[in-house]
Amino acid sequence: MATRTRRSQRRTQALSRERIVEAAVELLDAAGESGLTFRALTERLATGPGAVYWHVANKDELLGAATEGVVAAALAADPTEPAGSPQDGIRAVALGLAGAIEEHPWLATQLAVQLSRNPWGTVTARIFESIGRQVRALGVPESSWFTATSALLHYILGAAGQNAVNAGVPGPGTDREEFLGAVSTAWKELDPDDYPFTRAVADQMREHDDREQFLAGIDFVLTGITTLHPPAGRPGTPPASRETGTP
Amino acid sequence: MATRTRRSQRRTQALSRERIVEAAVELLDAAGESGLTFRALTERLATGPGAVYWHVANKDELLGAATEGVVAAALAADPTEPAGSPQDGIRAVALGLAGAIEEHPWLATQLAVQLSRNPWGTVTARIFESIGRQVRALGVPESSWFTATSALLHYILGAAGQNAVNAGVPGPGTDREEFLGAVSTAWKELDPDDYPFTRAVADQMREHDDREQFLAGIDFVLTGITTLHPPAGRPGTPPASRETGTP
DNA sequence: ACCTGAACACCGTTCAAGT
DNA sequence: ACCTGAACACCGTTCAAGT
């Protein structure tokens, strides 16, 4: 969509790093990871590869910039909700990321790649900061800030990464139900000796709701954090649970 | 290492899918993701691309098979420890995977890729089963098995994925300390308005121990699970915490 | 059934040359 | 300073031909 300057038409907008990254995101959204090539990119930008290389070091940097741009947009979103509990704040960050992955399915893989390649880069820092502020608001003692925030970060990224593809399907959920049904059936046909547990939860797997699962996991981590590292200032304060933290 | 049949020497071992996957793992270990090409693979196997394609559909399948093989080996390991608490069992599974990633750094990215591409494939099932058995042993009510196991799976994969690279460095830790020091310094130079929290934990980040962090996160999830879903059979049983679960 | 290896289409990247 | 575009080295994959 948007203003698409097709080939043969001379470029009207000056080339810039931002414009290049924007085009890269569009290509990724439209055709997935394999859709981003320098040939497709230069055609869309009506230029040559040398021009792109003037603004961007290589394809890895381009993918990193695309990832960071999309993550930054996802975390900067919704100034609608003013405050709410810290627990809700963390859920909002997590759901914001999950939403970004739903809009840009390539983000799941790319987030993982960026993370394992550059574990403490700018992408991580952005997410870390968003979660950390809520951890601080939670009253976690300062000495546990890094530990608690890291745990939340890891859970969110792990869960978001896996739930990406099933969420990517359109429609009201028919495709998704079919998919989960197929997996569930496959699980029931696993070797009873090797996979007794997986077979036993095949039905739960079919019926599960991604979003609910995602939030349940966050509640586990939050409960663990507030139980093992209760607020220091107010000694009598009980650990906050899902029930008390949600409106 | 191992028996390396170099080029010009005719193949002595018959070609098979297993032999191909084994060679792929060797190439990945030696030179990383970019080291696995069909040209390097066919040279090492003293054959042509057509022969490889007879046993394997394409490169994606080859990478998937390599990932699954390494994961299976990691989870099948150590029959030395007989039992221990379920908590220790989960820690063993998690540390086993972390160890595999340390031995095969490409596994971190590849695990994420496999997971986001094929969320409920055989690789996931293997890990899921290993964790799930411990969850069952934990006394979690059956209706919560899938939720609890998924949460652990996601945390472990997210954490293992990120900690891969720093763990990849050799030596007694000097390189690693230098790396963490550099990141810590970079964090302190972030914009005070945009990154107050990240700046505040820069020192904790420098001093943190990967393994300790990893286990602390598992304890959060375990505590959350046993708190929110206590064993059904024995109503009075208190939730197991790290202290009681570790010898 | 299993393997050979030349050939194909395509990719990321470079660089001398232009403005 | 910024852009052009031909050229290069390399990649995954195919397929007619062999055994």
Short mmCIF file of all heavy atoms in Angstrom, two decimals, chain A residues 62-123:
data_model
loop_
_atom_site.label_atom_id
_atom_site.label_comp_id
_atom_site.label_asym_id
_atom_site.label_seq_id
_atom_site.Cartn_x
_atom_site.Cartn_y
_atom_site.Cartn_z
N LEU A 62 20.82 -3.96 7.68
CA LEU A 62 19.50 -3.56 7.21
C LEU A 62 18.39 -4.31 7.97
O LEU A 62 17.41 -3.72 8.41
CB LEU A 62 19.38 -3.84 5.71
CG LEU A 62 18.08 -3.45 5.02
CD1 LEU A 62 17.77 -1.98 5.22
CD2 LEU A 62 18.15 -3.77 3.53
N LEU A 63 18.58 -5.60 8.15
CA LEU A 63 17.62 -6.39 8.90
C LEU A 63 17.55 -5.94 10.35
O LEU A 63 16.47 -5.86 10.94
CB LEU A 63 18.00 -7.87 8.84
CG LEU A 63 17.50 -8.63 7.61
CD1 LEU A 63 18.21 -9.97 7.46
CD2 LEU A 63 16.00 -8.85 7.69
N GLY A 64 18.70 -5.61 10.91
CA GLY A 64 18.72 -5.12 12.28
C GLY A 64 17.97 -3.81 12.42
O GLY A 64 17.19 -3.62 13.35
N ALA A 65 18.17 -2.92 11.47
CA ALA A 65 17.50 -1.63 11.51
C ALA A 65 15.99 -1.80 11.34
O ALA A 65 15.20 -1.13 12.01
CB ALA A 65 18.05 -0.71 10.42
N ALA A 66 15.59 -2.71 10.46
CA ALA A 66 14.17 -2.97 10.26
C ALA A 66 13.55 -3.51 11.55
O ALA A 66 12.47 -3.08 11.98
CB ALA A 66 13.96 -3.95 9.11
N THR A 67 14.25 -4.42 12.19
CA THR A 67 13.76 -5.00 13.44
C THR A 67 13.63 -3.93 14.52
O THR A 67 12.59 -3.83 15.18
CB THR A 67 14.73 -6.10 13.93
OG1 THR A 67 14.85 -7.08 12.91
CG2 THR A 67 14.22 -6.73 15.20
N GLU A 68 14.66 -3.13 14.65
CA GLU A 68 14.63 -2.10 15.69
C GLU A 68 13.52 -1.09 15.45
O GLU A 68 12.83 -0.68 16.38
CB GLU A 68 15.98 -1.40 15.79
CG GLU A 68 16.24 -0.84 17.17
CD GLU A 68 17.21 0.32 17.15
OE1 GLU A 68 18.09 0.34 16.27
OE2 GLU A 68 17.07 1.21 18.01
N GLY A 69 13.34 -0.72 14.19
CA GLY A 69 12.30 0.25 13.88
C GLY A 69 10.92 -0.25 14.27
O GLY A 69 10.14 0.47 14.90
N VAL A 70 10.65 -1.50 13.94
CA VAL A 70 9.33 -2.06 14.23
C VAL A 70 9.14 -2.24 15.74
O VAL A 70 8.06 -1.97 16.26
CB VAL A 70 9.17 -3.40 13.48
CG1 VAL A 70 7.96 -4.14 13.97
CG2 VAL A 70 9.06 -3.15 11.98
N VAL A 71 10.19 -2.67 16.42
CA VAL A 71 10.09 -2.83 17.88
C VAL A 71 9.87 -1.48 18.56
O VAL A 71 9.02 -1.35 19.45
CB VAL A 71 11.37 -3.51 18.43
CG1 VAL A 71 11.43 -3.38 19.94
CG2 VAL A 71 11.41 -4.96 18.02
N ALA A 72 10.61 -0.49 18.13
CA ALA A 72 10.47 0.84 18.72
C ALA A 72 9.05 1.36 18.55
O ALA A 72 8.45 1.91 19.48
CB ALA A 72 11.47 1.81 18.09
N ALA A 73 8.49 1.15 17.37
CA ALA A 73 7.12 1.60 17.11
C ALA A 73 6.14 0.87 18.01
O ALA A 73 5.21 1.48 18.55
CB ALA A 73 6.76 1.37 15.65
N ALA A 74 6.37 -0.42 18.21
CA ALA A 74 5.45 -1.21 19.03
C ALA A 74 5.51 -0.77 20.49
O ALA A 74 4.48 -0.71 21.17
CB ALA A 74 5.81 -2.69 18.93
N LEU A 75 6.68 -0.42 20.98
CA LEU A 75 6.81 -0.05 22.38
C LEU A 75 6.40 1.39 22.64
O LEU A 75 6.04 1.75 23.76
CB LEU A 75 8.25 -0.28 22.85
CG LEU A 75 8.70 -1.74 22.85
CD1 LEU A 75 10.12 -1.87 23.35
CD2 LEU A 75 7.77 -2.59 23.69
N ALA A 76 6.47 2.21 21.62
CA ALA A 76 6.10 3.62 21.79
C ALA A 76 4.59 3.80 21.73
O ALA A 76 4.08 4.85 22.10
CB ALA A 76 6.77 4.46 20.71
N ALA A 77 3.88 2.77 21.30
CA ALA A 77 2.45 2.88 21.03
C ALA A 77 1.61 3.16 22.27
O ALA A 77 2.12 3.37 23.36
CB ALA A 77 1.95 1.62 20.33
N ASP A 78 0.34 3.12 22.09
CA ASP A 78 -0.75 3.40 23.04
C ASP A 78 -0.41 4.32 24.21
O ASP A 78 -0.11 3.87 25.31
CB ASP A 78 -1.37 2.10 23.56
CG ASP A 78 -0.41 1.26 24.40
OD1 ASP A 78 0.80 1.26 24.11
OD2 ASP A 78 -0.88 0.62 25.33
N PRO A 79 -0.50 5.65 23.98
CA PRO A 79 -0.47 6.59 25.09
C PRO A 79 -1.89 6.77 25.62
O PRO A 79 -2.14 7.64 26.43
CB PRO A 79 0.02 7.89 24.42
CG PRO A 79 -0.36 7.75 22.99
CD PRO A 79 -0.63 6.30 22.69
N THR A 80 -2.79 5.92 25.13
CA THR A 80 -4.19 6.00 25.56
C THR A 80 -4.33 5.61 27.03
O THR A 80 -4.87 6.34 27.84
CB THR A 80 -5.08 5.08 24.72
OG1 THR A 80 -4.42 3.82 24.60
CG2 THR A 80 -5.29 5.67 23.33
N GLU A 81 -3.78 4.42 27.35
CA GLU A 81 -3.85 3.95 28.73
C GLU A 81 -2.88 4.77 29.57
O GLU A 81 -1.68 4.77 29.31
CB GLU A 81 -3.45 2.48 28.79
CG GLU A 81 -4.19 1.61 27.80
CD GLU A 81 -5.16 0.68 28.47
OE1 GLU A 81 -5.05 0.49 29.69
OE2 GLU A 81 -6.04 0.13 27.77
N PRO A 82 -3.39 5.46 30.58
CA PRO A 82 -2.52 6.33 31.36
C PRO A 82 -1.60 5.57 32.30
O PRO A 82 -0.40 5.68 32.22
CB PRO A 82 -3.51 7.21 32.13
CG PRO A 82 -4.84 6.52 32.04
CD PRO A 82 -4.73 5.38 31.09
N ALA A 83 -2.15 4.78 33.19
CA ALA A 83 -1.27 4.15 34.16
C ALA A 83 -1.63 2.68 34.38
O ALA A 83 -1.22 1.82 33.63
CB ALA A 83 -1.33 4.90 35.48
N GLY A 84 -2.45 2.38 35.36
CA GLY A 84 -2.75 1.00 35.70
C GLY A 84 -1.65 0.43 36.57
O GLY A 84 -0.65 1.09 36.84
N SER A 85 -1.83 -0.80 37.02
CA SER A 85 -0.84 -1.43 37.88
C SER A 85 0.42 -1.77 37.09
O SER A 85 0.37 -1.87 35.87
CB SER A 85 -1.43 -2.70 38.47
OG SER A 85 -1.53 -3.70 37.47
N PRO A 86 1.54 -1.93 37.78
CA PRO A 86 2.76 -2.37 37.10
C PRO A 86 2.55 -3.69 36.37
O PRO A 86 3.07 -3.88 35.27
CB PRO A 86 3.76 -2.53 38.25
CG PRO A 86 3.25 -1.67 39.34
CD PRO A 86 1.76 -1.66 39.20
N GLN A 87 1.78 -4.57 36.98
CA GLN A 87 1.50 -5.86 36.31
C GLN A 87 0.85 -5.62 34.95
O GLN A 87 1.24 -6.23 33.96
CB GLN A 87 0.55 -6.72 37.16
CG GLN A 87 1.22 -7.47 38.29
CD GLN A 87 1.23 -6.68 39.58
OE1 GLN A 87 1.00 -5.46 39.58
NE2 GLN A 87 1.54 -7.35 40.68
N ASP A 88 -0.13 -4.71 34.94
CA ASP A 88 -0.77 -4.41 33.66
C ASP A 88 0.20 -3.77 32.69
O ASP A 88 0.13 -3.98 31.48
CB ASP A 88 -1.98 -3.49 33.89
CG ASP A 88 -3.18 -4.25 34.45
OD1 ASP A 88 -3.19 -5.49 34.32
OD2 ASP A 88 -4.07 -3.61 35.01
N GLY A 89 1.10 -2.98 33.23
CA GLY A 89 2.11 -2.36 32.37
C GLY A 89 2.95 -3.40 31.68
O GLY A 89 3.24 -3.30 30.48
N ILE A 90 3.35 -4.42 32.44
CA ILE A 90 4.17 -5.48 31.85
C ILE A 90 3.38 -6.27 30.82
O ILE A 90 3.87 -6.60 29.74
CB ILE A 90 4.71 -6.41 32.96
CG1 ILE A 90 5.82 -5.68 33.72
CG2 ILE A 90 5.23 -7.72 32.38
CD1 ILE A 90 6.25 -6.35 34.99
N ARG A 91 2.10 -6.53 31.14
CA ARG A 91 1.26 -7.22 30.17
C ARG A 91 1.13 -6.38 28.90
O ARG A 91 1.10 -6.92 27.79
CB ARG A 91 -0.12 -7.50 30.77
CG ARG A 91 -0.07 -8.57 31.84
CD ARG A 91 -1.44 -8.86 32.45
NE ARG A 91 -1.26 -9.60 33.70
CZ ARG A 91 -1.61 -9.15 34.90
NH1 ARG A 91 -2.20 -7.97 35.04
NH2 ARG A 91 -1.38 -9.88 35.98
N ALA A 92 1.03 -5.07 29.07
CA ALA A 92 0.89 -4.20 27.89
C ALA A 92 2.14 -4.27 27.01
O ALA A 92 2.05 -4.33 25.78
CB ALA A 92 0.62 -2.76 28.33
N VAL A 93 3.31 -4.24 27.64
CA VAL A 93 4.55 -4.35 26.87
C VAL A 93 4.57 -5.68 26.11
O VAL A 93 4.85 -5.73 24.91
CB VAL A 93 5.78 -4.26 27.79
CG1 VAL A 93 7.06 -4.60 27.02
CG2 VAL A 93 5.89 -2.87 28.40
N ALA A 94 4.25 -6.74 26.83
CA ALA A 94 4.29 -8.07 26.21
C ALA A 94 3.29 -8.18 25.06
O ALA A 94 3.63 -8.67 23.98
CB ALA A 94 3.99 -9.13 27.26
N LEU A 95 2.07 -7.70 25.30
CA LEU A 95 1.06 -7.78 24.24
C LEU A 95 1.40 -6.86 23.09
O LEU A 95 1.08 -7.15 21.93
CB LEU A 95 -0.33 -7.45 24.82
CG LEU A 95 -0.88 -8.52 25.76
CD1 LEU A 95 -2.19 -8.05 26.39
CD2 LEU A 95 -1.11 -9.84 25.01
N GLY A 96 2.06 -5.76 23.39
CA GLY A 96 2.50 -4.86 22.32
C GLY A 96 3.48 -5.56 21.40
O GLY A 96 3.37 -5.50 20.17
N LEU A 97 4.43 -6.27 21.97
CA LEU A 97 5.39 -7.02 21.17
C LEU A 97 4.70 -8.13 20.40
O LEU A 97 4.97 -8.34 19.21
CB LEU A 97 6.48 -7.60 22.06
CG LEU A 97 7.67 -6.71 22.34
CD1 LEU A 97 8.63 -7.40 23.27
CD2 LEU A 97 8.37 -6.34 21.04
N ALA A 98 3.81 -8.84 21.07
CA ALA A 98 3.08 -9.91 20.40
C ALA A 98 2.28 -9.36 19.22
O ALA A 98 2.21 -9.98 18.16
CB ALA A 98 2.16 -10.63 21.38
N GLY A 99 1.70 -8.20 19.42
CA GLY A 99 0.96 -7.57 18.33
C GLY A 99 1.85 -7.21 17.16
O GLY A 99 1.47 -7.40 15.99
N ALA A 100 3.03 -6.70 17.46
CA ALA A 100 3.97 -6.35 16.40
C ALA A 100 4.37 -7.59 15.61
O ALA A 100 4.50 -7.55 14.38
CB ALA A 100 5.21 -5.68 16.99
N ILE A 101 4.54 -8.70 16.30
CA ILE A 101 4.89 -9.95 15.61
C ILE A 101 3.73 -10.43 14.75
O ILE A 101 3.93 -10.96 13.66
CB ILE A 101 5.31 -11.02 16.64
CG1 ILE A 101 6.65 -10.63 17.25
CG2 ILE A 101 5.40 -12.39 15.98
CD1 ILE A 101 7.11 -11.54 18.35
N GLU A 102 2.52 -10.19 15.23
CA GLU A 102 1.36 -10.58 14.45
C GLU A 102 1.28 -9.76 13.15
O GLU A 102 0.98 -10.29 12.08
CB GLU A 102 0.09 -10.35 15.28
CG GLU A 102 -1.05 -11.29 14.93
CD GLU A 102 -2.10 -11.29 16.04
OE1 GLU A 102 -1.75 -11.00 17.20
OE2 GLU A 102 -3.25 -11.57 15.72
N GLU A 103 1.61 -8.48 13.26
CA GLU A 103 1.60 -7.61 12.07
C GLU A 103 2.78 -7.91 11.15
O GLU A 103 2.69 -7.77 9.93
CB GLU A 103 1.68 -6.14 12.50
CG GLU A 103 0.36 -5.53 12.92
CD GLU A 103 0.55 -4.07 13.29
OE1 GLU A 103 0.79 -3.27 12.39
OE2 GLU A 103 0.48 -3.74 14.50
N HIS A 104 3.91 -8.24 11.75
CA HIS A 104 5.13 -8.50 10.97
C HIS A 104 5.69 -9.86 11.34
O HIS A 104 6.62 -9.96 12.13
CB HIS A 104 6.18 -7.42 11.28
CG HIS A 104 5.67 -6.02 11.29
ND1 HIS A 104 5.46 -5.29 10.14
CD2 HIS A 104 5.32 -5.20 12.31
CE1 HIS A 104 5.01 -4.07 10.46
NE2 HIS A 104 4.91 -4.00 11.77
N PRO A 105 5.14 -10.91 10.75
CA PRO A 105 5.52 -12.27 11.16
C PRO A 105 7.02 -12.54 11.09
O PRO A 105 7.53 -13.35 11.87
CB PRO A 105 4.78 -13.15 10.14
CG PRO A 105 3.62 -12.32 9.68
CD PRO A 105 4.10 -10.91 9.71
N TRP A 106 7.72 -11.89 10.18
CA TRP A 106 9.17 -12.08 10.07
C TRP A 106 9.88 -11.62 11.34
O TRP A 106 11.03 -11.98 11.60
CB TRP A 106 9.71 -11.30 8.87
CG TRP A 106 9.29 -9.85 8.88
CD1 TRP A 106 8.14 -9.33 8.34
CD2 TRP A 106 9.98 -8.75 9.48
NE1 TRP A 106 8.09 -7.98 8.57
CE2 TRP A 106 9.20 -7.59 9.26
CE3 TRP A 106 11.18 -8.63 10.18
CZ2 TRP A 106 9.58 -6.33 9.72
CZ3 TRP A 106 11.57 -7.37 10.64
CH2 TRP A 106 10.76 -6.24 10.40
N LEU A 107 9.20 -10.82 12.15
CA LEU A 107 9.83 -10.26 13.35
C LEU A 107 10.21 -11.33 14.37
O LEU A 107 11.22 -11.20 15.06
CB LEU A 107 8.89 -9.24 13.99
CG LEU A 107 9.44 -8.39 15.13
CD1 LEU A 107 10.62 -7.55 14.68
CD2 LEU A 107 8.36 -7.50 15.71
N ALA A 108 9.41 -12.40 14.43
CA ALA A 108 9.68 -13.44 15.41
C ALA A 108 11.08 -14.04 15.20
O ALA A 108 11.92 -14.03 16.10
CB ALA A 108 8.62 -14.54 15.32
N THR A 109 11.32 -14.52 14.00
CA THR A 109 12.63 -15.08 13.69
C THR A 109 13.71 -14.02 13.83
O THR A 109 14.76 -14.26 14.44
CB THR A 109 12.65 -15.63 12.25
OG1 THR A 109 11.63 -16.61 12.12
CG2 THR A 109 13.99 -16.23 11.93
N GLN A 110 13.43 -12.85 13.30
CA GLN A 110 14.46 -11.83 13.27
C GLN A 110 14.84 -11.35 14.67
O GLN A 110 16.00 -11.08 14.96
CB GLN A 110 13.97 -10.65 12.42
CG GLN A 110 15.10 -9.86 11.80
CD GLN A 110 16.12 -10.74 11.14
OE1 GLN A 110 15.79 -11.70 10.46
NE2 GLN A 110 17.40 -10.47 11.38
N LEU A 111 13.85 -11.28 15.53
CA LEU A 111 14.11 -10.89 16.92
C LEU A 111 15.05 -11.91 17.56
O LEU A 111 16.00 -11.55 18.25
CB LEU A 111 12.77 -10.85 17.67
CG LEU A 111 12.55 -9.81 18.74
CD1 LEU A 111 13.01 -8.45 18.30
CD2 LEU A 111 11.08 -9.75 19.11
N ALA A 112 14.77 -13.17 17.30
CA ALA A 112 15.62 -14.22 17.86
C ALA A 112 17.02 -14.15 17.28
O ALA A 112 18.01 -14.30 18.01
CB ALA A 112 15.00 -15.59 17.57
N VAL A 113 17.12 -13.92 16.00
CA VAL A 113 18.43 -13.84 15.36
C VAL A 113 19.22 -12.65 15.92
O VAL A 113 20.39 -12.79 16.30
CB VAL A 113 18.28 -13.70 13.83
CG1 VAL A 113 19.61 -13.37 13.19
CG2 VAL A 113 17.71 -14.97 13.23
N GLN A 114 18.59 -11.50 15.97
CA GLN A 114 19.27 -10.31 16.50
C GLN A 114 19.72 -10.56 17.93
O GLN A 114 20.80 -10.15 18.34
CB GLN A 114 18.31 -9.10 16.47
CG GLN A 114 17.91 -8.66 15.08
CD GLN A 114 19.07 -8.15 14.28
OE1 GLN A 114 19.98 -7.53 14.82
NE2 GLN A 114 19.07 -8.43 12.99
N LEU A 115 18.85 -11.24 18.67
CA LEU A 115 19.12 -11.45 20.07
C LEU A 115 20.28 -12.39 20.31
O LEU A 115 21.10 -12.16 21.19
CB LEU A 115 17.87 -12.01 20.74
CG LEU A 115 17.59 -11.34 22.05
CD1 LEU A 115 17.01 -9.98 21.76
CD2 LEU A 115 16.68 -12.15 22.88
N SER A 116 20.34 -13.44 19.53
CA SER A 116 21.42 -14.39 19.74
C SER A 116 22.72 -13.88 19.12
O SER A 116 23.80 -14.24 19.55
CB SER A 116 21.05 -15.76 19.16
OG SER A 116 20.94 -15.69 17.76
N ARG A 117 22.58 -12.98 18.15
CA ARG A 117 23.79 -12.46 17.51
C ARG A 117 24.36 -11.29 18.29
O ARG A 117 25.56 -11.09 18.38
CB ARG A 117 23.44 -12.02 16.07
CG ARG A 117 24.63 -11.77 15.19
CD ARG A 117 24.20 -11.67 13.74
NE ARG A 117 23.62 -12.93 13.26
CZ ARG A 117 22.96 -13.04 12.11
NH1 ARG A 117 22.79 -11.99 11.33
NH2 ARG A 117 22.48 -14.20 11.72
N ASN A 118 23.47 -10.51 18.86
CA ASN A 118 23.87 -9.30 19.55
C ASN A 118 23.00 -9.16 20.80
O ASN A 118 22.08 -8.36 20.85
CB ASN A 118 23.67 -8.11 18.60
CG ASN A 118 24.20 -6.82 19.19
OD1 ASN A 118 24.89 -6.82 20.20
ND2 ASN A 118 23.85 -5.71 18.57
N PRO A 119 23.31 -9.96 21.83
CA PRO A 119 22.40 -10.15 22.96
C PRO A 119 22.05 -8.87 23.71
O PRO A 119 20.99 -8.76 24.28
CB PRO A 119 23.17 -11.10 23.88
CG PRO A 119 24.29 -11.64 23.08
CD PRO A 119 24.59 -10.64 22.03
N TRP A 120 22.94 -7.91 23.71
CA TRP A 120 22.66 -6.71 24.48
C TRP A 120 22.71 -5.47 23.60
O TRP A 120 23.23 -4.44 23.98
CB TRP A 120 23.63 -6.58 25.66
CG TRP A 120 23.50 -7.70 26.63
CD1 TRP A 120 24.40 -8.69 26.88
CD2 TRP A 120 22.39 -7.96 27.51
NE1 TRP A 120 23.93 -9.55 27.84
CE2 TRP A 120 22.71 -9.12 28.25
CE3 TRP A 120 21.18 -7.32 27.75
CZ2 TRP A 120 21.83 -9.66 29.20
CZ3 TRP A 120 20.31 -7.85 28.69
CH2 TRP A 120 20.65 -9.00 29.41
N GLY A 121 22.18 -5.60 22.41
CA GLY A 121 22.15 -4.48 21.48
C GLY A 121 21.00 -3.53 21.76
O GLY A 121 20.32 -3.63 22.78
N THR A 122 20.78 -2.62 20.84
CA THR A 122 19.76 -1.58 21.05
C THR A 122 18.36 -2.16 21.09
O THR A 122 17.50 -1.65 21.79
CB THR A 122 19.84 -0.52 19.94
OG1 THR A 122 19.94 -1.19 18.68
CG2 THR A 122 21.03 0.38 20.14
N VAL A 123 18.13 -3.22 20.32
CA VAL A 123 16.80 -3.84 20.33
C VAL A 123 16.49 -4.35 21.73
O VAL A 123 15.43 -4.09 22.31
CB VAL A 123 16.71 -4.99 19.31
CG1 VAL A 123 15.34 -5.65 19.39
CG2 VAL A 123 16.95 -4.47 17.89
#
